[in-house]
Amino acid sequence: MDVKTVVITGASAGIGAELGLLLASRGHRVVLAARRQDELDKLAARGGGGSLAVRTDVTRRQEVEALKRRALEAFGGIDVWVNNAGRGIGRTVLEMDEADFDEMMASNVKSALYGIWAVVPHFQEKGSGHLINVSSFLGRVPLAAYRSAYSAAKSALNSLTANLRMDLKASHPGIHVSLVMPGIVRTEFPLRSLHGTPQAAWRAAAAADSQSPREVAEAIAGLIREPRAEIYTNPSSADTALAYFGDVAGFEERMARRRG
Ligand SMILES: NC(=O)c1ccc[n+]([C@@H]2O[C@H](COP(=O)([O-])OP(=O)(O)OC[C@H]3O[C@@H](n4cnc5c(N)ncnc54)[C@H](OP(=O)(O)O)[C@@H]3O)[C@@H](O)[C@H]2O)c1
C-alpha cells in the first residue's frame, strides 16, 4: 500500500475525526488539527503511532503555518492536506450582521486559504501533492436561507479551489486540487453553528436524505486514492444541482411552495 501523510483540519469531531480514524486504520500517517486538544489527543491515541495531534486555530495564519512545520518535522513531508474545518450560521441575509459575515469568511474561506498558502509551496517543491477543500452542497446551490453567509463562504471556496486547480494544471501536473461537497451529514455541525440552527431547519434536515460522517470519510478516502476535480458525497446532489441551474426561478418557486 502507498502510505501517505495526510494533514486534516477540523479533525476533533464529525467528518474530520472519522476521516482521521479511517485513514489511520488503513496505515496512513495522519496529522489531526483543531482547537480542542483533549478531543484530538483521544483520537490520536485511538489512531495509533502514526497519528499526531496538533492544536490549531485555522483562523490564525501563524498557527496554520506552525501546523505545516510540525507535520514536516514529524513525518518529513506532506502528501495530502484536507481543509475540512468549517462552521455554519443560523441567520438569514437580513438577520445577520457584519461580525457574523466576517466569522463565516474567517472560518470557511480564509482558513482554507491559509492552508493553501502553507502547503502548496511544499507540493510545488516536490512536484506532487493533493489539496482537498471540504465545501458544501450549499456552496453550489444556496437552498437554506438561514445558512446565508455560510453558503456564500463555501461558494467563494468553490471558486478559489477551481482557480487554484487551473493555475497548477499546466505548471505542476503532479499536484491535484479537489473539492468535496457533502449534503446533510449527521454531526454536531447544526449545534455548533453561529447562532445555532432554527427548529424548522432541524425538522427539515431530519426528514432529508442525510449521510453519516463515516460515509463522507469513505468518499474522501476514495478521492485520495483516485483524485478527481470535485465530488458530491451524496449521489442525489448532482441531479439537484442540474435541476437548479436548469431553471433557477422555477426551482425556487417549487421550494417556496413546499415550505409554505
Ligand atoms: N454536517 C454537515 O451537514 C455538513 C454539510 C456540508 C458540509 N459540511 C462541512 O464539512 C466540514 C466538517 O463539518 P462537520 O459536519 O464535521 O462539523 P463539526 O462536527 O461541527 O466539526 C467541525 C470541526 O471543525 C473544527 N473547527 C471549527 N472551527 C475551527 C477553527 N477555527 N480552527 C480549527 N478547527 C476548527 C472543529 O474543531 P474545534 O471546535 O475543536 O476547533 C471540528 O473538529 C465543514 O467544513 C462543514 O462546513 C458539513
Side-chain angles (χ1 to χ4, degrees), residues 74-143:
F75 297 122
I78 300 168
D79 301 302
V80 184
W81 181 290
V82 187
N83 281 316
N84 166 74
R87 189 182 189 195
I89 187 172
R91 283 187 173 170
T92 64
V93 173
L94 293 179
E95 287 165 352
M96 72 171 162
D97 60 22
E98 207 173 325
D100 294 337
F101 184 79
D102 289 346
E103 162 64 9
M104 285 300 99
M105 297 307 276
S107 297
N108 295 295
V109 187
K110 288 177 83 175
S111 57
L113 260 183
Y114 296 155
I116 289 168
W117 289 333
V119 81
V120 172
H122 170 64
F123 289 167
Q124 285 175 310
E125 216 168 277
K126 63 184 195 130
S128 66
H130 191 177
L131 179 93
I132 298 178
N133 289 333
V134 179
S135 176
S136 166
F137 180 63
L138 292 178
R140 177 134 305 161
V141 180
L143 289 177

Side-chain angles (χ1 to χ4, degrees), residues 162-187:
N163 288 156
L164 178 67
R165 184 169 46 243
M166 289 188 290
D167 290 345
L168 292 171
K169 209 174 253 312
S171 61
H172 296 85
I175 302 178
H176 302 287
V177 178
S178 303
L179 184 73
V180 176
M181 288 172 287
I184 295 173
V185 190
R186 298 184 294 278
T187 66

